[in-house]
Amino acid sequence: MATEADHGAGGHSPLAQFEIKRLVDINVGGVDASITNSTVWMLIAIAAITLFMVIGMRRGALVPGRWQSMAEMSYEFVAGMLRDNVGTAGRRYFPFIFTLFMFVLFCNLLGMIPYSFTVTSHIIVTFALAAVVFIGVTIIGFARHGAHFLKLFVPSGVPIFLLPLLIVIELISYLIRPVSLSVRLFANMLAGHTMLKVFGGFVVALGIIGGWAPLAFVVALTGLEILIAFLQAYVFAVLTCIYLNDAINLHH
Amino acid sequence: MTGVRGPSPLDDLNRRLAAIRERRRDDASETGPDDTAKSAMGYALRIGVELVAGLVVGGGMGWLLDMWLGTSPFLLILFFFLGAAAGMLNVWRATRTMNLPDAPGD
């Protein structure tokens, strides 16, 4: 993301943290498949999730310990979300929603570690996730209801002369979904991490005399950012559930 | 803490299990989206982006159609407003459940 001029500043630009660095060059048939720092942090997130779940459930005790309790809580949380928003018909999509939620959550939280890289601060990552949700939900809708799925775009009880206008609006409102889903997560992560870096820069600039005020602010902001990390993962998963509900139960 | 015999722990457990089973069978339409402050802030984060995305998608569609049909700039203007309307529609859909009579208070 950073321009060439920022390199001279020695990484002090607040946007330098979002820079993609190529670690291992891989070129598969003209497609650039290099391993970047983004790839590495995605793999770390997946490894952390796997460790979290496997170690948490290793004992499988009736009275759960701390780790097992956390693993069970995350399961219960997503299962409850799916039940509240989609109902029993959504149970079969639990693995996907759970994976999505845990991946976004761990990417957000790992991004909070100093010197780490926030995968979800790149719109291409969040848009890819949102596109998978959007295309998947549309396919599920057509597979379950066939052409009836198009009824989603036809509001009921509308005078016939308004129908063409409203169908176009409904269609746009459906196409907005992947954009708003991805932009929300990306923008929150980008803004939050940039703000942390900017206030961190103030601490250095004001030195030992005046630096305490921004330092206190950075501490507060870090707490807020951890909350945002949880909330954005929650919002991403809950919206996926809502879209799934539209496709399965055919009502907004 | 008097000598009166309260409900036995097993009765209580039975009742809780029954309640949980009941909840498991519930459908989406009966239980609303979940409550708590967490989801209130979730709403706040959702609806702002919804409006902007409406404008961007509407404007983008209009612009692409203009490029394709050579009608610049009329479709851009038209779809900009349609996108705004669609954004409003999404916001209304997201917040509609907050005003339902059985919604959790405040």
Side-chain angles (χ1 to χ4, degrees):
Chain A
M1 280 213 144
T3 58
E4 285 303 311
D6 292 326
H7 288 291
H12 287 309
S13 156
L15 293 179
Q17 56 176 325
F18 303 117
E19 205 177 330
I20 297 273
K21 293 187 196 76
R22 209 167 283 180
L23 302 179
V24 182
D25 273 314
I26 301 173
N27 208 318
V28 184
V31 180
D32 186 6
S34 304
I35 293 180
T36 61
N37 50 353
S38 180
T39 324
V40 169
W41 281 99
M42 280 186 214
L43 292 175
I44 291 175
I46 291 166
I49 296 165
T50 313
L51 273 179
F52 175 68
M53 296 310 287
V54 170
I55 291 185
M57 297 312 290
R58 188 187 41 187
R59 303 255 303 281
L62 188 60
V63 179
R66 279 186 291 258
W67 285 101
Q68 190 184 341
S69 190
M70 284 206 291
E72 284 178 2
M73 255 165 64
S74 45
Y75 175 93
E76 283 285 323
F77 182 68
V78 178
M81 182 159 64
L82 202 57
R83 193 172 52 235
D84 288 345
N85 288 296
V86 190
T88 40
R91 189 68 64 78
R92 56 199 297 196
Y93 303 108
F94 173 80
F96 175 67
I97 307 282
F98 187 72
T99 312
L100 196 65
F101 173 74
M102 291 305 267
F103 183 70
V104 174
L105 178 66
F106 270 70
C107 284
N108 290 352
L109 285 180
L110 285 172
M112 290 308 296
I113 300 172
Y115 298 104
S116 72
F117 178 84
T118 319
V119 176
T120 42
S121 66
H122 280 261
I123 191 153
I124 190 64
V125 175
T126 60
F127 189 77
L129 290 173
V132 168
V133 169
F134 178 74
I135 294 169
V137 160
T138 309
I139 290 173
I140 289 169
F142 274 114
R144 281 182 87 97
H145 302 285
H148 277 290
F149 181 64
L150 293 173
K151 268 203 191 133
L152 198 65
F153 303 117
V154 186
S156 55
V158 173
I160 194 88
F161 58 92
L162 272 178
L163 217 46
L165 182 68
L166 284 176
I167 288 175
V168 173
I169 290 179
E170 288 281 353
L171 199 63
I172 296 177
S173 122
Y174 191 74
L175 292 175
I176 289 172
R177 286 173 169 189
V179 176
S180 67
L181 194 58
S182 56
V183 166
R184 183 180 303 111
L185 177 59
F186 142 79
N188 270 286
M189 289 299 125
L190 185 80
H193 284 267
T194 310
M195 200 155 64
L196 278 179
K197 199 82 166 189
V198 166
F199 276 90
F202 286 167
V203 177
V204 178
L206 291 175
I208 193 125
I209 301 154
W212 298 100
L215 182 64
F217 206 81
V218 166
V219 172
L221 266 183
T222 307
L224 179 74
E225 275 308 305
I226 291 175
L227 173 73
I228 296 275
F230 271 104
L231 260 176
Q232 286 303 323
Y234 166 74
V235 168
F236 202 93
V238 97
L239 279 173
T240 307
C241 287
I242 289 171
Y243 297 161
L244 202 56
N245 181 42
D246 285 350
I248 289 176
N249 298 325
L250 268 199
H251 56 71
H252 283 299
Chain B
M1 287 295 151
T2 54
V4 184
R5 185 181 169 276
S8 90
L10 277 183
D11 282 349
D12 185 46
L13 182 67
N14 239 342
R15 209 152 28 73
R16 280 191 348 240
L17 279 177
I20 289 170
R21 284 207 195 93
E22 194 57 41
R23 220 169 52 217
R24 283 267 151 95
R25 259 184 288 125
D26 265 352
D27 224 8
S29 47
E30 289 161 42
T31 58
D34 66 345
D35 33 38
T36 72
K38 163 193 73 204
S39 105
M41 196 166 168
Y43 272 122
L45 291 170
R46 271 177 61 186
I47 54 187
V49 180
E50 216 69 72
L51 279 176
V52 180
L55 296 179
V56 171
V57 171
M61 273 176 76
W63 185 66
L64 284 178
L65 285 174
D66 267 344
M67 300 262 282
W68 181 43
L69 300 170
T71 50
S72 182
F74 300 106
L75 285 180
L76 172 63
I77 295 168
L78 176 68
F79 274 81
F80 183 81
F81 286 108
L82 288 178
M88 294 278 185
L89 183 67
N90 276 354
V91 171
W92 177 72
R93 286 226 171 91
T95 52
R96 183 177 41 172
T97 48
M98 295 168 105
N99 284 330
L100 292 181
D102 59 345
D106 62 318

